[in-house]
Amino acid sequence: MYQGYITDVQGIKVGHVQSEEGMTGCTVVICEQGATGGVDVRGSAPGTRETDLFKAEKMVDKVHAIVLSGGSAFGLEAASGVMKYLEEQSIGFDVRVTKVPIVASAVIFDLNIGNYKIRPDFNMGYKAAEIANSYENRQGNIGCGMGATIGKILGPQSAMKSGLGSATVKVGDLVVSAIVSVNSFGDIYDFRFNKQIAGVYDYKNNKLLNTVEIMKDMNKDLGFNVQNTTIGVIGTNAILTKAEANKVSGMAHNGYARSIDPIHTMLDGDTIFTMATNEIKADISLIGTLAAEVMSKAIINGVLFAEGSHGLNAYKDI
């Protein structure tokens, strides 16, 4: 298991709320002072909120929170609860009559594992923001990782349980961290050895299968299988512009590609946000390279920390 958590970046807080009955939850990453934000959406079936404001030419240049949520598009409601809490704390973009918190969000599809009628909502988002702190370090079946699963090409009955992962890389004073909900269509690989560690599972014969090989054998339209999406946040203390933060998000997707195969399919909504607290000068190419590395490590942690549930094995079980 890899070391570190996104709260290693000074000024970043994390809060998780989840429902065991619903097998869903949300994770909020907060920077009360505002962080330079970036985003890169690579999957073709995303569910997102406020991604346009990250474009370099848009006026607002700071984001106060990112919400990673289950519940598919229903889960976008959790961001409104986060907004309410932050406004009560006078955190946000000053518009004179009040402060408007800038809260972006992305969601995963997890409606098929627990009670689909329970999903992250206003109250769950509010509570996650209320309990967010700078010492949170839980991984696995927590927050947005509660209902995360992987390897679903043959349906949910052949999937495995995954979860939320986080990790940190430090180079001198530079800190680059990632937090990610691993809910991919594809299989998970240990990038150090290019070895599959989780994904489609043959429960009858107790062995891992390979999604790409199954796709080759099927060679047909996969139809409605949008029960996927991996979403994450890169946090860093580096000084970044919005354009640079967008570049970091783009480079961090290389971490997805190292650890998930296939990735960025028509059945995924893969999204990575970046939050920069603007404390340390560093080379943008180094930051992006570290972002890819730490995202790969966080993905692996999301698998290693997960607990089996609802008849699905986790890595620990196999």
Side-chain angles (χ1 to χ4, degrees), residues 24-25 69-76 107-111 116 118-120:
T24 190
S69 180
S72 190
F74 296 110
L76 292 171
V107 296
I108 66 169
F109 187 101
D110 57 4
L111 301 177
Y116 74 92
I118 299 175
R119 47 248 187 174

Side-chain angles (χ1 to χ4, degrees), residues 10-190:
Q10 188 173 359
I12 285 184
K13 296 180 177 181
V14 172
H16 306 294
V17 173
Q18 58 283 322
S19 165
E20 290 191 10
E21 180 182 351
M23 286 302 292
T24 190
C26 64
T27 294
V28 58
V29 184
I30 295 175
C31 182
E32 295 176 350
Q33 302 305 313
T36 302
V39 70
D40 192 324
V41 181
R42 296 281 178 95
S44 295
T48 57
R49 163 185 165 136
E50 293 279 41
T51 51
D52 277 355
L53 64 83
F54 293 102
K55 294 178 180 178
E57 71 272 17
K58 302 303 182 184
M59 180 185 69
V60 174
D61 63 353
K62 293 292 188 296
V63 61
H64 301 97
I66 304 292
V67 182
L68 307 179
S69 180
S72 190
F74 296 110
L76 292 171
E77 183 187 355
S80 295
V82 175
M83 280 195 71
K84 177 64 174 176
Y85 175 79
L86 293 179
E87 183 191 21
E88 291 175 355
Q89 307 306 309
S90 195
I91 296 169
F93 182 74
D94 193 345
V95 294
R96 298 184 182 178
V97 295
T98 187
K99 290 186 177 179
V100 180
I102 306 301
V103 180
S105 181
V107 296
I108 66 169
F109 187 101
D110 57 4
L111 301 177
N112 59 328
I113 186 170
N115 183 348
Y116 74 92
K117 294 183 178 180
I118 299 175
R119 47 248 187 174
D121 56 10
F122 182 97
N123 292 331
M124 196 177 285
Y126 185 97
K127 181 65 175 178
E130 186 179 39
I131 65 175
N133 59 77
S134 59
Y135 51 85
E136 178 62 71
N137 63 2
R138 290 174 291 172
Q139 302 185 61
N141 297 14
I142 192 77
C144 188
M146 191 68 182
T149 55
I150 49 178
K152 287 160 278 191
I153 190 170
L154 298 179
Q157 71 279 1
S158 296
M160 286 182 64
K161 186 72 183 69
S162 54
L164 188 83
S166 191
T168 294
V169 172
K170 298 180 180 179
V171 176
D173 293 330
L174 175 65
V175 180
V176 181
S177 298
I179 192 166
V180 60
S181 178
V182 187
N183 192 62
S184 60
F185 171 73
D187 305 317
I188 307 300
Y189 288 78
D190 186 328

